[in-house]
Amino acid sequence: MGELVLRKVFNKTRELNAGKLRTNWKGPYRITEVVRDGVNKLVKVINGVPELRPWNAMHLKKYHE
């Protein structure tokens, strides 16, 4: 809990016509709760808006400031 992470951007949420230079990761987010092993709830660092659903740790990577 409390770690800063980036979350993976999937095909359905990518910008249209962005091509090869599209972003693959969004963030940073802060882990606010561990629902169960490997599943985390996130909140945006910039504005404090929580994500609607928990995210699997497989789709997160550590954010280095």
Side-chain angles (χ1 to χ4, degrees), residues 13-40:
T13 58
R14 287 193 175 139
E15 297 173 20
L16 296 176
N17 301 322
K20 288 198 294 189
L21 300 176
R22 66 182 176 260
T23 56
N24 294 322
W25 298 93
K26 272 191 176 177
Y29 293 89
R30 185 172 309 278
I31 297 175
T32 57
E33 181 183 345
V34 177
V35 178
R36 61 179 183 268
D37 194 29
V39 181
N40 305 302

Side-chain angles (χ1 to χ4, degrees), residues 3 5 10 15 18 21 33 42 56 58 64:
E3 282 191 44
V5 294
F10 293 100
E15 297 173 20
L21 300 176
E33 181 183 345
L42 306 175
N56 191 311
M58 179 186 343
H64 301 283

